[in-house]
């Protein structure tokens, strides 16, 4: 149970930050709108990832879920970062 909890808390935090960075790169909104969107969506994404990790059968599966999704979002952030410059 503790492994799933840590995967949900830590993985969810990193995933929500990574998804929001992707949205900041992709959405042509003013800074204040992006900050408000980040505040609202950040908590929802984190909670969704925590539930998804808690629904795993084991801690190893929870870490695989969180790590896999984090890897996808980091790759997407990298592509967006280098394609804008």
């Amino acid at each position: 149970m503790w492994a799933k909890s840590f995967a949900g808390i830590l993985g969810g935090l990193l995933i929500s930050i990574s998804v929001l960075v992707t949205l900041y790169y992709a959405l042509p909104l003013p800074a204040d709108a992006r900050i408000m969107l980040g505040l609202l969506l950040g908590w929802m994404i984190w909670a969704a990832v925590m539930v998804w990790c808690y629904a795993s059968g084991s801690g190893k599966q929870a870490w695989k879920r969180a790590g896999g999704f984090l890897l996808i979002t980091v790759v997407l952030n990298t592509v967006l970062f280098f394609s804008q410059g």
Side-chain angles (χ1 to χ4, degrees), residues 2 17 19 37 54:
W2 281 106
I17 291 170
V19 167
L37 184 67
Y54 290 146

Side-chain angles (χ1 to χ4, degrees), residues 22-55:
T22 303
L23 289 176
Y24 290 163
Y25 283 135
L27 296 177
L29 296 173
D32 56 344
R34 286 188 288 186
I35 290 171
M36 182 57 79
L37 184 67
L39 288 171
L40 295 174
L41 286 179
W43 288 104
M44 288 186 260
I45 292 169
W46 193 8
V49 171
M50 288 192 323
V51 169
W52 191 41
C53 287
Y54 290 146

Side-chain angles (χ1 to χ4, degrees), residues 27-84:
L27 296 177
L29 296 173
D32 56 344
R34 286 188 288 186
I35 290 171
M36 182 57 79
L37 184 67
L39 288 171
L40 295 174
L41 286 179
W43 288 104
M44 288 186 260
I45 292 169
W46 193 8
V49 171
M50 288 192 323
V51 169
W52 191 41
C53 287
Y54 290 146
S56 301
S58 66
K60 186 176 181 179
Q61 184 185 19
W63 280 108
K64 282 184 180 180
R65 286 180 176 184
F69 193 65
L70 180 62
L71 181 65
I72 291 169
T73 59
V74 167
V75 167
L76 184 60
N77 286 334
T78 305
V79 168
L80 286 173
F81 179 76
F82 287 113
S83 68
Q84 286 190 357

